[in-house]
Amino acid sequence: MTDERVRDDDGAGGEQSGRRRWLAVAVLCVCVLVPFMDLIVVSVSLTAVERNLHATSGELQWIVAVYGITSASFMLVVPAVGGRWGYRRVLVWGLVLFGVASAATAFAPTAGSLIAMRVVMAIGASVVLPLSTGFITILFRESERGKAIGVWAAGVALATPLGAVLGGGLVEYFWWGWIFLINVLSVALVLPLIFWVLPSARQMPRSGINVWSVVLLSAGGLLLVYGAIDAENGWGDAALWMVAGVVVLVGFMVCEKRSAEPLIGLAPFRNARFLWAQATIVVGAFSLTAALFIVPMYLQSVLELPALAVGLRLIPFTLLVVVGSLAADRLSRRLGARWVVVGGSLVFGVGLALLTRASADSGDALVTCAFGLAGLGGGVAQAPAVSAALESLPPEVAANGSAFINALRNLGGALGVGIIGTVVTREYVRELSVSGAEVPAARADEVYASVANVAEAGDAMGASAGQTLHEHASSAFVQGLVPGMEIAAVAVLVVALLMCAPLRMLRDTPARDGADDGSDAVAPDAEAAGARSA
């Protein structure tokens, strides 16, 4: 190990060889790949889930969003649980729960029961992100940590092509429930690797659980997402839910300020480096998760591509994420983390902006190119942003801070699905209702609930009438997709441009204790800094 505060469950410490540490990174990539791959599999397969369980657009949003909210909430307690029971043990039990819940989800008879089981899946998955970044913090000094995170991020990026192709193939050629049963096999394969490579470490001293902070942060995020999804029925009540969410989050900040043992405290939020790194992570998740929720529906329901073809068209996106993640560490050393994050975010935002050029007959090449550009920019921006956020944490909250960073990432993704999914749905319903399209009365609710139901309704109407309905519905969906992707692109670009401001800039080195004045402070000795934050 690299830090005397880290020990095995039996109290014995042990030095990890260089080769073994990099093997540990590889295993952590596989561990994170399992729940991340599930997210992509579900995104590609939502149309199949919708048709088999007759889910509404709101239920589809909850299938994705509830996973993010739940995992964000429970991962906040993971450092304390890992400190008490051992990181490796908690990681194993979390993956086992994820696998068992996945098996039950595959046989869910309704969309509501599937959403409920997704909650249980998320509880199991919640251990993976904070413990994986926690292991990297433990095993690597600061001088190597950026490279390790870049390799980890590149490995995790493999979840997209694997999940996209796997999800598309399973839905196209097999029973749709296999998209969840495949998780059982993945967990069974990764468990022996965990016992073989990862140390049974816990970080000392053990951290407690600030229950009120966890409850307030989780409740605030849930209210925001609930309001965003409920806005499909009008912004009146939805605005009240979202305001309530903001009030609860303010309560979280007050609780953190007054608590003797805060979850993360307010000090990181006064550090410009942490603030803008975290903003990049959250907004990146907000925009990308929403795009992965909406665009596969466009490809399947508007362009009428089969699920496997949709998965194949996401492969360039993932390969460029890997390229960007691997290049980010070297670029950061040459140019400084701040400018690498800014440049990557600008490319990411331009890629998302290209999606606004999509139309009902624009073809799939536009989506492939736009996603590829977004993947390259996102890969370049996210790895140094995560590294900068971790390095900016005070030593006393480093363990909780890692979970907090990932929790906000998940909440950002859930909020993106809620807000942008609602924008797309509202525009789709409005445009279709004024288009003059002939909609069968018996299937009107299904057609207006989601564009995925149009094909089945059109088949029942006959070739000519069905084709006309498909054309109107496709045009209506695109009318919603365009403003949705505009919101995603603008959010990323605004954060990138704000990071260029001359005051309170994102520093390229960790600030000295108590020297958070917004200047580009010189870091203390790298090895000492690594020991403090490990």
Side-chain angles (χ1 to χ4, degrees):
M1 297 293 177
T2 60
D3 195 295
E4 64 183 4
R5 292 177 297 144
V6 178
R7 64 177 176 84
D8 289 342
D9 285 343
D10 59 5
E15 190 72 25
Q16 292 283 332
S17 68
R19 177 179 297 180
R20 196 166 183 83
R21 285 186 292 129
W22 288 106
L23 282 175
V25 173
V27 172
L28 291 172
C29 288
V30 177
C31 292
V32 179
L33 187 147
V34 174
F36 265 58
M37 189 170 66
D38 173 79
L39 286 172
I40 305 302
V41 168
V42 172
S43 294
V44 173
S45 308
L46 279 174
T47 300
V49 173
E50 184 175 33
R51 290 172 179 169
N52 281 276
L53 299 183
H54 305 290
T56 66
S57 58
E59 287 172 330
L60 291 180
Q61 287 174 268
W62 278 115
I63 288 172
V64 177
V66 77
Y67 188 89
I69 297 169
T70 305
S71 59
S73 302
F74 279 86
M75 70 173 57
L76 294 170
V77 305
V78 168
V81 176
R84 179 172 297 276
W85 297 107
Y87 281 16
R88 188 176 69 184
R89 182 182 300 170
V90 174
L91 180 61
V92 167
W93 281 110
L95 287 172
V96 168
L97 178 61
F98 177 79
V100 172
S102 296
T105 306
F107 298 95
T110 65
S113 59
L114 189 148
I115 292 170
M117 291 312 304
R118 290 285 286 172
V119 171
V120 183
M121 287 178 63
I123 294 173
S126 66
V127 307
V128 178
L129 271 178
L131 291 186
S132 62
T133 52
F135 268 117
I136 290 175
T137 304
I138 287 170
L139 294 171
F140 292 89
R141 296 186 185 278
E142 185 182 6
S143 58
E144 296 180 295
R145 200 172 297 147
K147 182 179 180 180
I149 289 176
V151 172
W152 173 81
V156 171
L158 292 174
T160 301
L162 290 176
V165 174
L166 188 61
L170 290 173
V171 167
E172 191 166 342
Y173 296 110
F174 300 97
W175 174 53
W176 70 271
W178 274 106
I179 65 175
F180 298 109
L181 289 179
I182 196 66
N183 293 332
V184 180
L185 177 61
S186 300
V187 169
L189 291 175
V190 77
L191 288 179
L193 298 176
I194 293 175
F195 286 108
W196 176 46
V197 174
L198 294 182
S200 53
R202 59 175 69 156
Q203 188 158 334
M204 301 299 291
R206 296 176 183 175
S207 58
I209 300 176
N210 189 322
V211 176
W212 278 111
S213 289
V214 172
V215 169
L216 289 172
L217 182 60
S218 304
L222 178 61
L223 288 170
L224 284 175
V225 175
Y226 182 86
I229 295 177
D230 186 61
E232 289 183 5
N233 302 315
W235 285 105
D237 291 341
L240 295 177
W241 287 112
M242 298 183 79
V243 169
V246 172
V247 171
V248 172
L249 290 178
V250 171
F252 162 77
M253 302 296 287
V254 172
C255 180
E256 285 290 281
K257 182 178 181 179
R258 295 182 176 180
S259 175
E261 295 185 355
L263 183 68
I264 188 173
L266 299 186
F269 295 97
R270 293 189 288 268
N271 185 321
R273 191 169 199 251
F274 175 84
L275 187 63
W276 293 116
Q278 185 68 76
T280 299
I281 296 167
V282 172
V283 172
F286 173 93
S287 297
L288 182 58
T289 307
L292 288 173
F293 176 77
I294 297 298
V295 174
M297 291 186 190
Y298 164 75
L299 292 173
Q300 288 181 267
S301 299
V302 176
L303 301 187
E304 299 184 285
L305 295 179
L308 180 57
V310 172
L312 292 173
R313 281 156 178 78
L314 291 179
I315 291 179
F317 160 77
T318 304
L319 294 178
L320 288 169
V321 170
V322 173
V323 171
S325 298
L326 292 176
D329 182 58
R330 179 173 295 181
L331 289 172
S332 296
R333 292 177 185 275
R334 289 188 177 185
L335 305 175
R338 177 166 67 101
W339 295 114
V340 172
V341 172
V342 169
S345 296
L346 290 174
V347 174
F348 180 29
V350 170
L352 292 173
L354 284 178
L355 291 172
T356 65
R357 309 303 299 172
S359 67
D361 55 1
S362 60
D364 57 286
L366 172 66
V367 171
T368 302
C369 294
F371 256 127
L373 195 60
L376 178 63
V380 169
Q382 288 293 306
V386 171
S387 182
L390 289 171
E391 292 165 6
S392 301
L393 295 169
E396 62 273 13
V397 299
N400 285 343
S402 174
F404 182 81
I405 289 168
N406 288 307
L408 288 191
R409 181 210 298 269
N410 282 20
L411 287 176
L415 194 59
V417 171
I419 292 177
I420 296 179
T422 294
V423 169
V424 174
T425 300
R426 285 177 61 88
E427 285 298 306
Y428 163 73
V429 172
R430 186 180 68 83
E431 290 292 331
L432 184 58
S433 63
V434 301
S435 67
E438 179 185 351
V439 180
R443 294 182 176 269
D445 290 342
E446 295 178 15
V447 170
Y448 283 106
S450 174
V451 69
N453 297 323
V454 171
E456 185 176 350
D459 290 341
M461 295 173 65
S464 178
Q467 180 62 29
T468 301
L469 175 61
H470 178 267
E471 291 174 356
H472 282 291
S474 297
S475 177
F477 186 83
V478 169
Q479 292 300 313
L481 182 147
V482 170
M485 292 303 97
E486 286 175 346
I487 293 172
V490 168
V492 172
L493 293 173
V494 166
V495 171
L497 293 175
L498 286 175
M499 289 173 62
C500 298
L503 299 177
R504 303 289 293 173
M505 295 185 299
L506 176 66
R507 290 187 296 272
D508 291 344
T509 55
R512 294 187 184 94
D513 293 340
D516 185 24
D517 58 359
S519 62
D520 285 345
V522 178
D525 179 77
E527 185 168 319
R532 285 205 317 271
S533 60

